[in-house]
Structure formats: C-alpha cells, structure tokens
Amino acid sequence: MKKPAIEGGTPARNKPLPPNYPGAVVMGQEEAEFASKVILAQSPFRYYSPDPQSAVDKLENAISAKMNIPYALGVTSGTASLIVAMKALGIGYGDKVIVPANTFLATPGAVVCCNAVPVFCDIDESLNLDPAALEQVYDEDVKAIIVVPILGNPVDMDPVLAFARSKNIAVIEDMAQSCGVTYKGQYGGTIGNIGAFSFQMNKIITGGEGGAVVTRDLDLFERAIRYHDQGIVRHRDRYGIDSPDEEFAFVGQNYRMSDITGAVLFEQFNKLDEIVASMRRSHAIIKQALSVQFPELQFRNCPDPDDGQIGSNLGFLFPSAEAANKFNQAMHAENIGTHALYAGKPAYRTAAIFNQRTADKDNFPFNYPFKNPVIYTEDLCPRAIDLLPRAAFLPIAPTLTEQDVEEIIEGATKVLHSLREQARVL
C-alpha cells in the first residue's frame, strides 16, 4: 500500500478538487444569455418594466411543474424564504419553533427574526433531526418544526409528519442545502406544510443569492406573497387570488426576487437533473469502492438510501473526533478537501444563539416569559455533541471526471489504511 502524503508519500492528486459550488461550476452561456436579455430589455423588476421578460415567473412555473406543487414564489435569499414561510404560518412573539441541532445559523436565526424562539432537537446518525427526540422538546408554545436535510441527505419525514399531526403544528422544510432531494419519491420541500429553498453561492443551484417558497395551500401562499411584497398581492390572476387588500392586507417586507436573478436561476434549475445525476454517480462509485475495502467504515445513515440523497457530500462517521480530524488532515495532504461541518458543533453553540443576544431591546424575543423558559446548555443535545465532532464530509462536485473519482478513491484508501493500522479500527 502506498504511503499517505501526510506521511511522506506522493499525493493522490496534484491539484485541489473543483470548488464546492455545485451550481456555479456548471454556469455558462445559458445563464449569461437570459440575464443579458433581461438587462438589454431594461427590465430587471419582475412586476413592471418597459419590456418584461418574466424570468421569475418562468422559474416559479418550472419549480411547480418539476416538483408537482401548485405554488412557488421566488424570494431574495434562503433566509428570506424561511422568514416568509414562518410569517405565512403566523409564527411570532410568544411562539417556539423546533429546529435540528445540526444546521446553519440561518435556520434558528430566521426563527428569531420572526420574533419567535428556537428550541433544539437532537439528531440521529443521518445527522438530521431525530424524530424520536421531538417529544422531549415539545411543549404547548411550539407552533412548528423546521426540518433540515443536511448536505443532500433526506430527513425521515413520515414520523415527523405523524408527530406534527398529533400536536396540530406545522412542518417547514428548510431545503437550503438539498434542492433535488427526495423522500419516498416526493421532492423535499413539498412534503410538509411549506418548503423553503436557498440559491446562495454554495447551494445545489445558485444565483449568487436567491430563494423560493413552495406550498400546496393557497391561503398560506397568499400570506407568503403578501409578506414578501409589503403586504400586497400583484398579478392576482396568475394565482387565482381575489381577496381585497382592504380586508386582507397586513404589513410585510420586501423580499422580492429580481428578474436578473430569476433569469440565472431559471437556467440553473434546468440543469438540476444533470447536476444531481452526476453527483449521485460519483457518490455511489466512491462509497461502493470504500465499502468493499473497509467494511467496518461507517457512513451517515440515509432514510431513503436508494434514491433520496443527491450525492452532494459523502458523509463518514468515525469512532472518535481524533480519528475524524486525522482523516481530514491526511485527506487535505492528498489534495482532497474533506471537512468537519460547522467545526463539529451544534447550532445552539453559535455565540449569538447560545447567549440569546439580539439587536433589539432586552434581547427581544428571548425575553418572552415562557411558562417553560428556553435555556441553552452546552450538553443540550447529547447525540449532536457526540456525532458532529466524529463526522467528516467529502464534497462531490458535479464536474468530477473519472480520473478525479479514481484519485479520490486512491487518496481515501491510503488514508483509511493508515488509520486502520494506527487505531486497529476506523
């Protein structure tokens, strides 16, 4: 067996892997032409302009058709999509929202920006929310659950939905990292009450920024439209909405997507199947090769292992944080950039959340006098504390070549053999 590069051997690769920007690395002429068309028409605003190109409309129609969901709304960011989704559900001051311990800061941050308070649910070996842990964090002030399929891995939705129905609370799907994920044949984002997507730079498809909200409920959709556009509804005929502003309008914000962003995202969305198919193919080859050579190697669980995950990241679970760190260091020496997610820490350990600090007076909304106060402690979610430092992720770009895949397998094989010899176990 060849020596790992970290021990003086030759690296498996002579340059780093493609950057972890799945949508951006396949950007090309199509996005440039449609965005240019909008600009040359001098019509960047979606709702009125000299020569409307209707790019956001086209994006929303494409999302609806592909994901088999009647209502889709383009917004400015993934965070905006979460806020709009929660405001559509009427979530606000005095409410709690369950979020998984493993997610980006934006998920609990959006809850706080809606004047509600996040409560954190532990995770399982999928590294997503553990449905069996929901009862432990539920109380009468909880109004919704946000599930987050982390890095392309679906959430086990059936027990989440069953729990939510039993408590009469909503389910929001934060699909920021996982556009294209499915669960039992249904697209993630379309399974709960309302779905939120992000199209930021390192997402599966990207406009640099951007987001979308999807739902099957017209009443929720009308509230989403209103909140994202100062409380009003334009293009009423497009959605079949006839409720008068005089009776139904409320104060909203401005989260409108521009038609330039819509143009880029429309062409990106047309490439989603191609992106996902490429990532899945490389993911399957690498996982299979390593599984055969290292049957003791543990990967993160997938609730829908056949078709659900999109292959954007191969997740490993090591016996210890030390082993995971050694793996990452050795893989970097091979020019293969594996990494820990969020420094191996749960979301509630983020300083602003953990210390319950906001820009508002008295740290509103954390100052709400809940019957059961929300208190964050370092060991709040024991499984997350255990699992996250032991997890390592290999990003898989949609542009990987056969040679790239072979070199990844070669590098990982060298590193894993060395770890096996050092620790006698992976």
Side-chain angles (χ1 to χ4, degrees):
M1 175 57 59
K2 295 178 182 177
K3 267 189 182 182
I6 202 168
E7 297 173 16
T10 302
R13 293 179 53 80
N14 57 21
K15 62 180 180 180
L17 288 168
N20 187 24
Y21 308 131
V25 298
V26 299
M27 273 188 171
Q29 195 66 30
E30 300 86 356
E31 291 87 349
E33 286 180 359
F34 198 3
S36 295
K37 188 177 179 183
V38 173
I39 292 167
L40 293 173
Q42 301 176 333
S43 300
F45 186 59
R46 73 168 295 190
Y47 287 118
Y48 53 79
S49 59
D51 182 14
Q53 300 301 303
S54 304
V56 180
D57 288 5
K58 289 181 171 69
L59 170 66
E60 292 169 349
N61 292 344
I63 292 171
S64 292
K66 182 172 188 57
M67 297 193 170
N68 191 29
I69 192 150
Y71 306 115
L73 177 68
V75 295
T76 51
S77 69
T79 302
S81 71
L82 285 169
I83 292 171
V84 168
M86 282 183 274
K87 288 299 184 180
L89 289 162
I91 289 167
Y93 191 50
D95 294 336
K96 297 175 182 177
V97 177
I98 295 172
V99 299
N102 187 25
T103 187
F104 181 54
L105 170 62
T107 311
V111 174
V112 175
C113 288
C114 287
N115 305 326
V117 173
V119 291
F120 290 88
C121 183
D122 217 339
I123 62 173
D124 59 24
E125 290 183 349
S126 69
L127 304 178
N128 294 328
L129 179 146
D130 180 2
L134 284 167
E135 190 69 57
Q136 301 167 28
V137 294
Y138 174 81
D139 67 24
E140 62 187 8
D141 295 316
V142 170
K143 297 300 187 293
I145 303 165
I146 300 180
V147 296
V148 185
I150 283 290
L151 295 179
N153 199 34
V155 174
D156 193 3
M157 291 298 293
D158 284 348
V160 172
L161 294 172
F163 180 87
R165 284 192 294 267
S166 74
K167 306 297 185 184
N168 194 29
I169 58 176
V171 175
I172 302 163
E173 295 178 82
D174 177 355
M175 301 301 300
Q177 301 178 4
S178 299
C179 183
V181 154
T182 60
Y183 175 77
K184 298 185 177 180
Q186 190 170 347
Y187 277 105
T190 73
I191 303 168
N193 298 84
I194 195 163
F197 292 81
S198 173
F199 306 129
Q200 185 264 349
M201 179 64 184
N202 62 2
K203 302 306 189 288
I204 306 304
I205 63 170
T206 185
E209 289 286 3
V213 177
V214 302
T215 185
R216 301 183 187 282
D217 186 319
L218 182 57
D219 291 337
L220 282 182
F221 190 61
E222 178 179 343
R223 286 181 58 85
I225 291 172
R226 288 188 181 279
Y227 195 78
H228 108 293
D229 189 14
Q230 311 292 5
I232 60 178
V233 179
R234 312 183 204 228
H235 292 185
R236 290 170 172 271
D237 292 345
R238 174 168 165 74
Y239 307 114
I241 294 173
D242 57 8
S243 53
D245 286 348
E246 292 80 2
E247 185 177 352
F248 290 92
F250 52 79
V251 175
Q253 298 199 54
N254 174 10
Y255 292 125
R256 299 182 298 253
M257 179 182 284
S258 83
D259 237 34
I260 298 172
T261 302
V264 173
L265 285 170
F266 174 73
E267 296 298 346
Q268 281 271 291
F269 193 77
N270 287 339
K271 297 177 180 179
L272 180 62
D273 284 350
E274 172 190 344
I275 291 169
V276 170
S278 176
M279 294 188 304
R280 277 181 174 159
R281 183 167 54 250
S282 298
H283 183 283
I285 293 169
I286 296 166
K287 184 177 180 181
Q288 174 63 20
L290 297 181
S291 297
V292 169
Q293 295 186 73
F294 306 97
E296 72 273 38
L297 184 61
Q298 185 179 1
F299 300 93
R300 64 174 173 173
N301 287 350
C302 180
D304 189 351
D306 294 330
D307 301 306
Q309 57 80 28
I310 55 173
S312 60
N313 285 263
L314 181 58
F316 304 87
L317 283 174
F318 289 94
S320 67
E322 181 185 13
N325 289 335
K326 285 183 177 180
F327 175 76
N328 288 332
Q329 291 168 9
M331 290 292 278
H332 276 269
E334 303 290 343
N335 279 317
I336 301 168
T338 61
H339 62 93
L341 184 62
Y342 309 133
K345 295 180 180 180
Y348 61 81
R349 291 286 302 277
T350 305
I353 297 294
F354 191 76
N355 296 308
Q356 301 190 349
R357 289 197 305 262
T358 71
D360 297 286
K361 184 178 179 180
D362 299 326
N363 289 321
F364 172 90
F366 287 108
N367 61 355
Y368 187 85
F370 290 111
K371 179 180 176 182
N372 299 313
V374 177
I375 299 169
Y376 305 137
T377 61
E378 291 192 4
D379 59 353
L380 183 65
C381 296
R383 291 287 282 153
I385 292 291
D386 169 50
L387 288 167
L388 294 180
R390 298 196 284 114
F393 292 90
L394 168 66
I396 295 176
T399 54
L400 291 184
T401 64
E402 288 185 14
Q403 181 177 341
D404 290 330
V405 171
E406 289 171 4
E407 289 171 349
I408 289 169
I409 294 168
E410 178 190 341
T413 298
K414 289 193 294 177
V415 168
L416 291 169
H417 267 297
S418 178
L419 283 176
R420 176 193 270 167
E421 289 174 3
Q422 291 174 40
R424 305 299 175 195
V425 66
L426 290 176

